[in-house]
Amino acid sequence: MSRIVHKFTRKVPHWQPRVTPVDLQEATEEQLDALQVTPSNTKVSDYVLTLAHDVESLKVRSPLFNAIMYDPGGMSRAERELGAIGASMVNRCIYCAAVHADRHAKLEKDTAVTDELFAKGEKADLSPRNRAIFDFARKLSESPVDAAPEDMAKLREAGLSDEEILDLILSAALFGWANRLMHVLGDPVRQEVPA
């Protein structure tokens, strides 16, 4: 028995697919290649196994995701997670917001920012730099056409370089896509343990 999670949380829910994921034991060579499964790395999420139905998309999706979220240089990992959280909150993607809030808290070794965001949303009390990052990710996600030069100026005033601004745009834009995939392909659920 499981129930869908509707409130933002840092406790990562289980993601329950609506489309049957590829069975790893029955995956084709092309699917295994796209999944980057090796004998020492066989732990693959249901989400990625679901995406494996489209090998060509998955082959470019995973390297793109890793480059945007993990490549060195530019914004810090935690700040990229903050951009992802901002986009996920606008898109009401409970699962993505939980995953990236958990990562942000672990990277920062502090839950204060994500606790504040989940308690107060856009009225959260944030540092000037975090405020600029969150506000821009939120604005870009609500209506990209409204993210104007004045908003770029606010990011620069908060100390972001052009390279960091591009990282923020990439992370927030990536989650515009990722959130839509997660929403339609499955649900965030809590699995209830029988008494």
Side-chain angles (χ1 to χ4, degrees), residues 72-124:
M75 277 203 328
S76 71
R77 286 268 322 275
E79 289 174 336
R80 294 178 206 202
E81 299 293 350
L82 185 58
I85 295 166
S88 298
M89 288 180 73
V90 167
N91 293 320
R92 297 286 310 158
C93 185
I94 302 297
Y95 184 83
C96 290
V99 167
H100 295 281
D102 182 61
R103 287 185 185 159
H104 182 277
K106 287 175 179 165
L107 288 164
E108 292 290 296
K109 297 179 176 44
D110 190 346
T111 64
V113 169
T114 50
D115 286 346
E116 185 74 12
L117 283 171
F118 288 167
K120 298 178 185 169
E122 62 188 73
K123 294 181 179 170

Side-chain angles (χ1 to χ4, degrees), residues 28 30-34 51-60:
T28 65
E30 291 79 14
Q31 288 169 327
L32 291 173
D33 180 53
L51 296 179
H53 286 293
D54 186 333
V55 169
E56 295 306 317
S57 295
L58 182 60
K59 281 173 82 170
V60 294

Side-chain angles (χ1 to χ4, degrees), residues 22 24 26-39 41 44 48-49 51-52 54-63 66:
V22 168
L24 197 53
E26 298 176 9
T28 65
E29 285 301 316
E30 291 79 14
Q31 288 169 327
L32 291 173
D33 180 53
L35 290 162
Q36 299 178 345
V37 173
T38 63
N41 177 21
V44 183
V48 175
L49 286 169
L51 296 179
D54 186 333
V55 169
E56 295 306 317
S57 295
L58 182 60
K59 281 173 82 170
V60 294
R61 175 261 178 208
S62 297
N66 292 338

